[in-house]
Amino acid sequence: MIEFFFDCSSPWTYLAFHNIQPLAKELGAEIVWRPILVGGIFNTVNPSVYAQREKPVPLKARYMKKDLQDWARSAGLAIKMPPTVFPVNSVKAMRGCIWLGKDMVPFATGLFETYWGEDKDISQDAVLAGICKKVGIDEQKFFAAIAEQGIKDQLKANTEEVVARGGFGSPTIFVNKTDMYFGNDRLPLIREALKRSKASAA
């Protein structure tokens, strides 16, 4: 089993979200999607992210921009970095993913495409309503649901859980509950872990 803790406000998460789905299908692994708020993680255990944004190392920043585009090209995705609004407030978007549960993938895909590909501000209700319409979600039900305390509490609980289990950013991925990986570029290692798990279960 794969647990995928994610916030759509990260471009590297977009890549991992896209790339892990065919990998899981190929190896017959179930993905449990776990929406989080990455800002909550940064505030709790990884505030150095903010310092890096304020005072980036120019050479490293230039390379990271190239690296991201290399990965995007490899995945066949359009990613504008930075988007016009960055960082973005993804609270409503991620609450929507919580509400949708196992049916969240089309909506989450729409979030990633809209924010990173189309450079639209997914904190705005009109943009979220457009994504709902695109993927066949009743927008009135959507906005009513994301205002519910239970949905808010679940998003907070997911965020606190990933920190308690050792996570420090998005995406944080677990294979079989305890084997943690961070980031899109760890997918080859996740593939190996799944193969090991499959072999030991045979």
Side-chain angles (χ1 to χ4, degrees):
M1 184 187 73
I2 299 166
E3 290 171 280
F4 191 93
F5 288 85
F6 75 103
D7 185 327
C8 61
S9 64
S10 153
W12 302 103
T13 303
Y14 183 14
L15 288 162
F17 176 88
H18 175 85
N19 290 330
I20 203 166
Q21 292 183 63
L23 169 61
K25 191 175 181 182
E26 177 194 335
L27 296 175
E30 179 196 1
I31 301 175
V32 178
W33 303 104
R34 306 291 303 276
I36 57 169
L37 281 179
V38 77
I41 295 178
F42 295 159
N43 293 339
T44 308
V45 294
N46 194 8
S48 65
V49 170
Y50 300 128
Q52 287 169 12
R53 283 180 187 165
E54 283 174 25
K55 292 184 179 178
V57 177
L59 291 176
K60 187 179 179 184
R62 191 169 70 193
Y63 174 73
M64 280 182 68
K65 200 169 183 180
K66 174 200 180 291
D67 191 35
L68 181 63
Q69 292 310 318
D70 287 344
W71 278 107
R73 190 182 309 109
S74 174
L77 300 176
I79 296 180
K80 183 192 177 198
M81 184 66 192
T84 304
V85 176
F86 183 78
V88 71
N89 183 336
S90 61
V91 173
K92 290 180 180 179
M94 300 318 294
R95 283 181 191 161
C97 289
I98 292 278
W99 172 61
L100 288 162
K102 288 184 177 181
D103 300 321
M104 75 176 74
V105 171
F107 177 72
T109 302
L111 289 172
F112 282 119
E113 290 174 350
T114 301
Y115 182 52
W116 294 107
E118 299 171 24
D119 193 20
K120 292 179 182 173
D121 181 359
I122 56 168
S123 70
Q124 300 301 309
D125 286 358
V127 174
L128 291 171
I131 297 169
C132 286
K133 190 175 181 182
K134 188 177 174 184
V135 298
I137 295 166
D138 184 312
E139 63 185 82
Q140 286 186 316
K141 286 182 182 174
F142 173 87
F143 286 109
I146 65 172
E148 290 174 6
Q149 193 59 46
I151 298 294
K152 296 176 182 179
D153 291 346
Q154 187 59 57
L155 183 58
K156 188 170 185 278
N158 283 3
T159 305
E160 290 172 350
E161 179 185 335
V162 74
V163 170
R165 291 169 66 181
F168 51 86
S170 174
T172 299
I173 303 159
F174 290 90
V175 175
N176 296 332
K177 291 285 184 185
T178 56
D179 192 10
M180 189 181 97
Y181 298 87
F182 173 69
N184 171 68
D185 54 352
R186 298 305 188 272
L187 291 185
L189 299 179
I190 291 169
R191 174 186 288 277
E192 290 177 11
L194 289 169
K195 284 183 173 179
R196 283 196 305 272
S197 179
K198 222 175 174 183
S200 66

